[in-house]
């Protein structure tokens, strides 16, 4: 119950509505209890005692009672729903803000599926509990106890006889729900397995078809479908055993009433009208009991859901403004890392003692194998993470003392994996600057070499993209992301392997776009290709979180270390290009001493010659 | 400034809404649907019989009670009371037995029908051609196989049997009531039309309201899903406040619709009850006066009241069924649309089995268009000799992938022909052709299962030793054996948990194990680090050995090593030759290669 206390902030503002709903529910139940009494009075007072003048009044009361009860019923469920949806409205907004305040380290570990099941599933279960679950619980106790009291008042002996059945019914109801719940869980799992198989099959249809694997896939799906059928029948079998039996319990109650009650009427202890009333009242006891398991299930589920919601709300807030953070104004772009180390929450050490000075407007190339810490390094600048040790300075000020929003607005990142939102291309480009005019958007797209292909799309800039929108190629998405970064007009640009996932031809176009983006801005380029970083003002090579080499292209080549090795591997390819270039220009110097890279099978890792890079790159 | 005003918060993100959920009734479609029950008609008949027996048993209960009142309790005859109680017990017992059997039978029938339908649908979809999959998202196909089929569940499970049961209950009640007292029966049935109307029309209105609510809820969930995935972008561009504003907007929209729809739907119960109360009032009033005048007995009046109370249930169920049928019309229309789609690449009835392939591929003046009027290939001639490696180069959309698709006959040429060893690919059985060709796709797709299963994908009967051998050959053995479960490591959806390079090596092993005569390789573009790059290059060399290979190439090393480079441009072969020849020629190819090394060369001064 602690859960409800801790989630109080969301429903407490609407407590009046809830109280009104509960009161309406009580009145509804109370008025409803009158209904069987009306028939009793008609029988006992009008038909047997002969007070004929009371008939019309009693008959009309049926309508009156149903009107009053209906009014309360409506008030109760409508107010309940309003209570639920208003509370959850607050809760959802709060959750959303919470999600936005969590930092990258949270999302590194979080699984979208798990978060979604909390945000969609658990929130909805919680809403249902507020909207009607708790009202049902109130009803359950109220209806059961009021009916019982009334029955005991009418004839306590008969009531106790009938009541003998109730423990058994309650037991069955509970047992049923404990049995049927795992069966339904298994059924749901089976359904999701079936979905996964279909999903995989469709997404991987090219693979399936190219290996002519259709028959096996059909057989696999068939097995899943049969498993689903079996689980469904298992659940049905529980249902078919318990449901009729629980209903039978009520019927046995009727039978007992007829038998025992009938004899009591004959002996004069009970009136015939009262007996007929009992025939109705017994269901007022049986029906709630049949649903006992359901209610308990509901309550435990809501508590569990609330718990899972609280887990999100309780996550410590990530990176935020220091209390006395200052607005840096317009950033020049001088970035400095001082003895920076970074250890992630899970204990992985990403960076060790990095010191790096990047003057405003200069370009840094960052190379290194996967997992060397390249992305971690640049993520410290816009404070996606905070350094564990040491500090990161922008224009001489520790980033942790700057206003986060002002800092991030001046740092643009082009991520390795492009993410576009489900909206028009225009909105995606203007994502960082909503107030941008159409002219500015087009200008940014032009600079990003994206204008041309956007214009060719059916709806131009209004074309919807994203998950359910038009499928764009990797290169096209990447160029939109670059336009997005250009429009944001940052002072510092981070290109995290921005030309991955595009083909050779597109890469060229993108590099043109990047050049526009880099103009006059401090730039960090993460890349695997030497060609992307070769002309940077300084190049660093990272390995296991350390800077293992740094310098300019020429310096690093002369050093003969990691960089040189990467260079050799990649420039094997270039040798022939260079040779061709050399041959065409009638130069002979470059062509000497290489041709070993021959056709397939050349190892080529050994340096063929001391290539002069400037010569190499000459067009 | 005007522009800004127009771009209101509503436009920030766009989530297309769901489709129609109901369609008008159509007999032919209904017959086709019911046709799926034909194999189980004996079970259906049995279920109906059992249901009817149970129904009769419950229908007569009030009669026994009224008899017990009139001839037992009121006259003090204990024997009659005992006898009636016994009859009652018997009725309840019959109902208890039949209810269990009925539930089992109806579900058994319904679920088997759904199974048949699903399997048929899946089998059909599985054999549809690529253009079918091109036009649709995976999600939209999934929805039909899972959700649309599930939407028919109620109809097939309870629907058919319930119709018989409910009709019997209604006619039974009406008949019994008429036989007790026709006047009273007719008077109390005044409310019947209102009940029918409520259970169909009001209910439909309510359902439409809820549909609006659901659309809004799914909008919230779509956005949440996207917001989580794009959170890094949002934070990098400092758009938290803007997004929160948008979320508040859709969240509030949901709440409004929720409150609006509940208002209508919460009226349902009270209105139904009121209608029932009017009937009850009539029965009490008129019925009691009949008792007073001695025209019916007290017991019969009580029975009458019970029967009236049981009126609503079958009407309500029939009304629900009616709505279910309308929904089933929409679902089944979508299902049948898939089933009626014919594969565009169909196997000829007289197709021969492709003999063992030598590996000669020929394109003769091939034209192809995915969509009419948008040609993807315009007169391509190509000749690949057995054992040759051909690199296809060109911009996105120039026709590289199309060439690959035509060799495997994923599509049929619009004109011209594609032959392998001189045989037109349209003349052979599809699986005999594709079994001898392997494709390594850019984005390696791994199915959930073990790594060994995935490598065996093209040759399910391969031994473990062969699997290992293939992995060794492409250098995938090292990382696989380093994993705790080795080859038995279970990879999850899409192979997450493995790096890009690792996935690619697995796909090489998979292709190698299938030992194709023709290998098609759509080279991955994503950059990998230098070590992995080296592994992949070595693996590639091993993979291409002794086969005809068509490579949609992105790596200069692969391209340079090819026997022939084909440069595609707007659906035509623009240049062809070896690397040296094309470099010397100084055309498109040369400028492409040079562009690779030119970046940063003209970088403006910082």
């Amino acid at each position: 119950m602690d859960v409800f206390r801790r989630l109080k902030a969301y429903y407490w503002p609407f407590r009046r509505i809830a109280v009104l709903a509960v009161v309406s529910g009580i009145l509804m139940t109370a008025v409803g209890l009158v209904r069987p009494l009306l028939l009793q009075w008609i029988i006992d007072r009008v038909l047997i005692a002969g007070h004929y003048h009371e008939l019309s009044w009693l008959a009309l009361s049926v309508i009156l009672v149903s009107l009053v009860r209906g009014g309360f019923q409506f008030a109760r469920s409508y107010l309940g729903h309003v209570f639920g949806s208003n509370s959850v409205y607050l809760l959802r907004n709060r959750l959303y803000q919470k999600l936005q305040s969590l930092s990258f380290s949270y999302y590194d570990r979080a699984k979208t599926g798990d978060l979604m099941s909390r945000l969609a599933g658990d929130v909805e279960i919680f809403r249902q509990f507020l909207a009607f679950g708790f009202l049902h619980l109130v009803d359950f106790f109220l209806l059961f106890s009021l009916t019982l009291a009334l029955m005991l008042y009418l004839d306590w002996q008969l009531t106790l006889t009938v009541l003998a059945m109730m423990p058994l019914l309650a037991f069955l109801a509970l047992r049923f729900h404990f049995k049927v719940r795992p069966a339904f869980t298994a059924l749901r799992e089976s359904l999701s397995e079936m979905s996964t198989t279909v999903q995989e099959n469709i997404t991987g249809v090219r693979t399936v078809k190219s290996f002519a694997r259709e028959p096996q896939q059909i057989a696999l799906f068939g097995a899943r479908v049969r498993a689903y059928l079996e689980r469904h029948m298992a659940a049905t079998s529980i249902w078919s055993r318990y449901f009729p039996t629980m209903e039978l319990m009520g019927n046995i109650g009727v039978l007992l009433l007829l038998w025992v009650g009938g004899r009591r009427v004959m002996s004069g202890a009970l009136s015939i009208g009262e007996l007929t009333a009992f025939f109705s009242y017994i269901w007022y006891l049986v029906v709630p009991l049949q649903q006992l398991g359901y209610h308990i299930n509901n309550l435990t589920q809501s508590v569990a859901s609330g718990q899972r919601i609280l887990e999100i709300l309780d996550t410590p807030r990530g990176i935020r403004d220091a209390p006395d953070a200052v607005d840096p104004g317009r950033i020049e772009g001088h970035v400095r890392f001082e003895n920076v180390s970074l250890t992630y929450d899970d204990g992985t050490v990403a960076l060790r003692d990095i010191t790096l000075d990047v003057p405003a407007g200069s370009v840094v190339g960052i190379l290194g194998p996967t997992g060397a810490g390249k992305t971690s390094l640049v993520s410290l600048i816009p404070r996606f993470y905070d350094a564990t040790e040491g500090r990161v300075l922008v224009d001489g000020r520790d980033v942790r003392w700057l206003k986060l929003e002002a800092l991030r607005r001046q740092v643009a990142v082009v991520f390795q994996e492009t993410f576009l939102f489900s909206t028009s291309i225009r909105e995606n480009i203007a994502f960082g600057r909503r107030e941008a005019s159409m002219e500015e958007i087009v200008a940014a797209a032009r600079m990003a070499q994206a204008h041309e292909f956007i214009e060719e799309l059916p709806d131009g800039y209004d074309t919807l993209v994203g998950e359910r929108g038009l499928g764009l190629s990797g290169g096209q998405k990447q160029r939109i992301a670059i336009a997005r970064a250009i429009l944001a007009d940052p002072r510092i640009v981070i290109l995290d392997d921005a030309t991955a996932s595009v083909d050779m031809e597109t890469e060229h176009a993108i590099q043109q776009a990047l050049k526009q983006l880099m103009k006059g801005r401090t730039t960090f380029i993460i890349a695997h290709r030497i060609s992307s970083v070769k002309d940077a003002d300084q190049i660093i090579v990272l390995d296991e979180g350390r800077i293992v080499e740094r310098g300019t292209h020429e310096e690093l080549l002369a050093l003969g270390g990691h960089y040189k090795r990467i260079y050799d591997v990649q420039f094997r390819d270039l040798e022939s290009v260079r040779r061709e270039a050399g041959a065409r220009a009638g130069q002979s110097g470059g062509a000497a001493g290489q041709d070993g890279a021959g056709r397939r099978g050349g190892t080529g890792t050994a340096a063929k010659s001391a290539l002069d890079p400037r010569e190499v790159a000459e067009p | 400034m005007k522009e800004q005003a127009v771009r209101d918060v509503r436009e920030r993100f766009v989530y297309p809404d769901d489709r129609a959920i109901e369609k008008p009734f159509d007999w032919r479609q209904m017959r086709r649907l019911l046709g799926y029950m034909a194999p189980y008609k004996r079970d259906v008949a049995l279920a109906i019989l059992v249901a009817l027996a149970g129904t009769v048993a419950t229908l007569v209960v009030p009669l026994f009670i009224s008899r017990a009142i009139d001839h037992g309790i009121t006259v003090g005859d204990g024997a009659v009371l005992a006898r009636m109680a016994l009859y009652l017990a018997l009725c309840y017992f019959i109902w208890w037995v039949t209810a269990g059997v009925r539930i089992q039978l109806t579900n058994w029938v319904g679920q088997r029908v759904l199974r048949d339908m699903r399997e048929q649908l899946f089998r059909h979809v599985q054999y549809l051609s690529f253009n079918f999959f091109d036009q649709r998202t995976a999600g939209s196909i999934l929805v039909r196989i899972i959700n649309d089929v599930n939407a028919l569940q109620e109809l097939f499970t309870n629907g058919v049997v319930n119709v018989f049961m409910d009709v019997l209950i209604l006619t039974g009640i009406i008949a019994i009531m008429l036989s007790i007292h026709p006047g009273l029966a007719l008077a109390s049935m005044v409310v019947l039309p209102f009940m029918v109307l409520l259970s169909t029309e009001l209910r439909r209105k309510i359902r439409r309201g809820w549909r609006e609510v659901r659309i809004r809820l799914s909008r919230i969930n779509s956005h949440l899903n996207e917001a989580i995935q794009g959170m890094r972008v949002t934070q990098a561009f400092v758009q938290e406040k803007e997004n929160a504003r948008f979320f508040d907007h859709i969240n509030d929209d949901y709440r409004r619709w929720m409150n609006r729809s509940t208002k209508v739907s919460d009226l349902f119960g009270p209105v139904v009850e009121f209608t029932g109360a009017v009937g009850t009032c009539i029965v009490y009033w008129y019925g009691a006066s009949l008792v007073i005048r001695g025209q019916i007995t007290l017991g019969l009046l009580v029975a009458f009241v019970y029967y009236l109370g049981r009126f609503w249930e079958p009407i309500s169920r029939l009304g629900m069924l009616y709505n279910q049928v309308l929904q089933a019309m929409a679902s089944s229309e979508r299902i049948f649309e898939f089933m009626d789609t014919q594969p565009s690449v169909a196997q000829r009835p007289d197709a021969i089995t492709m003999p063992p392939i030598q590996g000669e591929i020929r394109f003769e003046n091939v034209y192809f268009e995915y969509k009419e009027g948008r040609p993807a290939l315009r007169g391509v001639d190509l000749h690949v000799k057995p054992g040759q490696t051909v690199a296809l180069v060109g911009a996105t959309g120039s026709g590289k992938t199309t060439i690959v698709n035509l060799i495997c006959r994923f599509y049929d040429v619009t004109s011209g022909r594609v032959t392998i060893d001189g045989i037109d690919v349209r003349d052979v059985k599809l699986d005999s052709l594709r079994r001898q060709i392997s494709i390594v796709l850019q984005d390696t797709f791994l199915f959930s299962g073990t790594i060994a299963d995935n490598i065996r994908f093209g040759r399910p009967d391969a031994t473990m030793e062969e699997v290992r051998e293939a992995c060794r050959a492409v250098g995938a053995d090292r990382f696989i054996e380093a994993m705790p479960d080795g080859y038995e490591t279970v990879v999850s959806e899409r192979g997450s948990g493995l790096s890009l390079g690792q996935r690619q090596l697995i796909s090489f092993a998979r292709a190698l194990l299938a030992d194709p005569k023709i290998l098609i390789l759509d080279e991955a573009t994503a950059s990998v680090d230098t070590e992995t790059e080296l592994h992949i290059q070595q693996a590639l060399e091993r993979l291409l050995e002794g086969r005809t290979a068509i490579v949609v190439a992105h790596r200069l090393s692969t391209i340079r090593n090819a026997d022939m480079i084909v440069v595609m441009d707007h659906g035509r072969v623009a240049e062809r030759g070896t690397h040296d020849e094309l470099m010397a020629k100084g055309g498109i190819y040369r400028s492409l290669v040079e562009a690779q090394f030119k970046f940063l060369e003209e970088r403006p001064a910082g």
Side-chain angles (χ1 to χ4, degrees), chain A residues 69 85 89 93 96 100 102 108 127 200 209 370 422 427 431 434 436 504 532 565 572 599, chain B residues 7 12 14 126 128 223 226 232 235 239-240 248 258-259 273 448 529 531 537 562 596 600:
Chain A
R69 185 184 178 276
S85 57
Y89 163 76
N93 270 357
Y96 192 80
Q100 293 201 322
L102 295 172
D108 292 341
R127 184 191 69 77
E200 259 192 18
K209 285 195 175 283
T370 310
S422 308
E427 288 294 317
F431 188 72
R434 293 272 295 158
M504 215 164 84
S532 307
R565 179 175 150 72
R572 270 195 303 177
R599 306 196 71 78
Chain B
R7 280 196 281 133
R12 186 162 173 82
V14 182
Q126 183 75 90
L128 288 176
H223 177 68
E226 187 171 79
R232 288 178 169 84
Q235 292 190 355
Q239 291 300 306
E240 292 95 331
D248 177 65
M258 183 80 193
N259 291 349
E273 195 175 306
S448 44
D529 62 46
E531 286 304 312
Q537 284 188 17
Q596 283 232 312
L600 290 175

Side-chain angles (χ1 to χ4, degrees), chain A residues 35 39 42 52 55-56 59 62 66 69-70 74 77-78 81 85-86 89 92-93 96 100 102 104 107-108 112 116 120 124 127 194-195 199-202 206 209-211 213 217-218 221-222 225 229 232 236-237 240 244-245 247 251 255 259 265-266 279 370 384 405 408 421-423 426-427 431-432 434 436 468 497 501-505 508 511 528 531-532 535 565-566 572-574 576-577 579-581 584 599-600, chain B residues 3 7 11-14 16 73 76 81-82 85 88 92 95-96 104 107 111 115 118-119 122 126-128 130 141-142 153 221 223 225-226 231-232 234-236 238-241 243 247-248 251 254-255 258-259 262-263 266 270 273-274 277 281 284-285 288 292 306 389 394 396 405 434 437 445 447-448 457-458 460 525-527 529-531 537 554 557 560 562 579-580 583 590 592-593 595-597 599-601 603:
Chain A
R35 287 182 301 183
L39 182 58
I42 287 178
Y52 299 140
L55 175 60
S56 48
V62 173
S66 92
R69 185 184 178 276
F74 174 76
S77 46
Y78 177 62
H81 273 116
S85 57
N86 282 355
Y89 163 76
R92 277 208 170 92
N93 270 357
Y96 192 80
Q100 293 201 322
L102 295 172
F104 279 34
Y107 290 99
D108 292 341
T112 310
M116 274 313 290
E124 195 53 24
R127 184 191 69 77
M194 191 160 78
S195 304
Q199 170 101 41
E200 259 192 18
N201 195 272
I202 300 164
R206 290 177 82 83
K209 285 195 175 283
S210 59
F211 284 102
R213 274 275 297 216
Q217 290 295 310
I218 289 169
F221 180 71
V225 172
L229 173 70
H232 192 103
T236 299
S237 143
S240 72
T245 309
E247 193 70 14
N251 289 336
L255 192 64
W259 175 243
V265 172
M266 285 192 273
F279 280 132
T370 310
F384 293 150
E405 182 172 342
R408 285 187 180 166
F421 290 91
S422 308
T423 182
R426 183 178 58 171
E427 288 294 317
F431 188 72
R434 293 272 295 158
R468 284 156 85 179
D497 211 357
S501 335
V502 292
D503 53 33
M504 215 164 84
E505 302 71 29
H508 181 61
Q511 289 183 337
H528 287 299
S531 56
S532 307
D535 287 292
R565 179 175 150 72
I566 300 169
R572 270 195 303 177
D573 298 335
L574 191 57
S576 59
V577 178
R579 185 183 55 194
E580 289 303 320
R584 186 173 49 109
R599 306 196 71 78
R600 198 178 289 174
Chain B
E3 190 69 37
R7 280 196 281 133
E11 270 187 56
R12 186 162 173 82
F13 304 106
V14 182
I73 298 169
L81 178 61
L88 217 58
Y92 286 146
W95 180 84
W96 179 67
Q104 286 270 13
N107 278 284
Q111 289 302 318
R115 175 199 63 189
R118 239 194 277 272
E119 282 195 296
F122 184 84
Q126 183 75 90
Y127 282 111
L128 288 176
F130 268 21
I141 301 174
L142 180 73
Q153 178 161 317
N221 291 337
H223 177 68
N225 196 21
E226 187 171 79
M231 191 56 78
R232 288 178 169 84
T234 302
Q235 292 190 355
V238 209
Q239 291 300 306
E240 292 95 331
K241 282 183 201 140
N243 279 8
F247 185 74
D248 177 65
N251 190 10
Y254 169 68
R255 171 175 66 162
M258 183 80 193
N259 291 349
T262 47
K263 203 183 277 179
D266 287 341
E273 195 175 306
F274 176 74
C281 172
Y284 282 4
W285 204 332
I292 295 165
Y306 289 145
T389 297
T396 307
N405 284 336
R434 290 184 189 156
I437 305 176
F445 191 87
F447 291 84
S448 44
F457 194 78
T525 48
S527 56
D529 62 46
T530 309
E531 286 304 312
Q537 284 188 17
H554 302 297
S557 59
R560 203 194 45 196
H579 173 75
D580 294 345
M583 284 307 286
R590 187 191 170 96
L592 275 175
V593 171
Q596 283 232 312
F597 299 97
F599 182 49
L600 290 175
E601 201 61 11
R603 182 170 61 82

Side-chain angles (χ1 to χ4, degrees), chain B residues 290-311:
Chain B
L290 285 176
V291 176
I292 295 165
R293 274 180 266 148
Q295 288 180 310
I296 59 169
T297 62
L298 174 61
L300 286 175
L301 176 66
V302 172
F304 222 97
V305 172
Y306 289 145
Y307 282 125
L308 194 66
R310 290 204 54 192
F311 238 18

Side-chain angles (χ1 to χ4, degrees), chain B residues 373-385:
Chain B
R374 301 189 71 172
L377 292 185
R378 314 163 195 241
V380 170
D381 284 297
L382 203 60
H383 181 204
V384 184
K385 297 189 193 98

